Amino acid sequence: MKKILLVLFITHFVYLIALKWVNPPITITMISSWVGTWGTDTKFHKTWADYSEISEFTKLAVLSSEDQLFPDHNGFDFKSIEKAMKHNQKSKKIRGASTISQQVAKNVFLWQQRSWIRKGLEVYFTFMIEKLWGKERILEVYLNVAQTGDAVFGVEAAAQQYYHKSAASLNREQSAMIAACLPNPVKYTVVPPARPTLYRQKKILVQMRLLTGDPDISALISSK
């Protein structure tokens, strides 16, 4: 049993390090979504785009909507976690406080269902990718593995499906619309835009204007 655990640990550690340079081929969420398309007219879409091939507007929109402190934190936003815990104690509607780093850890290495085991592993993988990958690689992976529609994964696939262009060509409004769908990409449709998507897009556009010129964010989204 100890040998099996040791082999599993070494294998996952090598895989984790390799992903600093090698793009993750598929995730559990993608597999689940792909299986869900069987026997339906829905097609599975996943296309990778390198960091330099993604519009700066898209990077800014995602940071504005998902994690404005991303360049500065170490993987966890403890103030947001505390606020979410207080809210969840009083409300039946669960509020999350996951950073982009935590979402990458969950999407790439784990599964979606909530549990204490998954949360514990999420903390471990978040810590590791922050130490080994760096911010640019974490954001690049997020922009490529995040679900952006029904059986659509990544901003490149979203750009092609919704706007018939590459992620590099997305403008401010289109980028904000794609970012707006991220909390619930099946319910918050981009084309045609659902009412919650339009509402979130307007808020994201405001945040994008406020964050434009932030030195840390500007340096991150403009790096190649």
Side-chain angles (χ1 to χ4, degrees):
M1 186 64 179
K2 290 183 179 179
K3 289 184 178 180
I4 294 175
L5 291 175
L6 180 61
V7 170
L8 288 174
F9 176 79
I10 293 174
T11 300
H12 106 264
F13 190 70
V14 170
Y15 182 61
L16 193 153
I17 294 175
L19 290 184
K20 179 178 175 66
W21 301 280
V22 179
N23 300 331
I26 199 163
T27 67
I28 294 174
T29 305
M30 289 178 185
I31 293 172
S32 177
S33 178
W34 176 59
V35 171
T37 64
W38 294 358
T40 71
D41 294 330
T42 302
K43 294 184 178 180
F44 181 84
H45 300 281
K46 178 180 78 74
T47 306
W48 186 275
D50 291 337
Y51 198 75
S52 61
E53 299 171 332
I54 299 173
S55 165
E56 291 185 11
F57 289 129
T58 305
K59 298 169 189 173
L60 178 60
V62 169
L63 291 172
S64 298
S65 64
E66 296 297 300
D67 189 355
Q68 295 186 9
L69 298 178
F70 177 72
D72 305 310
H73 63 58
N74 63 354
F76 306 94
D77 183 350
F78 293 105
K79 288 185 178 180
S80 294
I81 292 173
E82 184 179 357
K83 289 180 181 178
M85 289 177 65
K86 290 180 179 179
H87 173 271
N88 296 340
Q89 288 174 352
K90 301 176 181 179
S91 174
K92 293 182 179 179
K93 187 176 182 181
I94 301 298
R95 176 186 294 176
S98 294
T99 62
I100 284 177
S101 302
Q102 287 176 274
Q103 292 182 58
V104 169
K106 176 183 66 177
N107 290 338
V108 173
F109 300 103
L110 304 169
W111 56 93
Q112 296 297 321
Q113 285 74 19
R114 293 175 179 270
S115 70
W116 287 111
I117 294 176
R118 196 215 73 186
K119 208 65 184 175
L121 290 171
E122 182 183 305
V123 170
Y124 166 75
F125 281 112
T126 299
F127 175 81
M128 293 301 289
I129 64 175
E130 279 279 340
K131 292 298 182 182
L132 296 174
W133 291 8
K135 294 293 185 179
E136 183 178 311
R137 179 57 175 171
I138 292 172
L139 183 57
E140 178 183 31
V141 173
Y142 179 79
L143 291 167
N144 281 283
V145 302
Q147 188 169 2
T148 49
D150 188 8
V152 181
F153 288 85
V155 296
E156 178 66 29
Q160 293 180 13
Q161 290 303 305
Y162 304 138
Y163 301 116
H164 310 292
K165 59 169 62 176
S166 68
S169 302
L170 290 170
N171 61 31
R172 182 180 294 268
E173 288 72 23
Q174 293 164 343
S175 296
M177 187 68 79
I178 291 174
C181 85
L182 292 172
N184 193 331
V186 176
K187 180 180 178 182
Y188 295 176
T189 56
V190 175
V191 178
R195 184 175 296 180
T197 321
L198 288 169
Y199 174 74
R200 280 183 51 79
Q201 182 206 30
K202 292 178 182 178
K203 293 181 66 175
I204 292 169
L205 286 169
V206 171
Q207 293 302 311
M208 289 172 69
R209 286 193 289 271
L210 292 174
L211 289 177
T212 298
D214 181 288
D216 293 331
I217 288 181
S218 296
L220 178 62
I221 67 176
S222 62
S223 60
K224 302 297 184 182

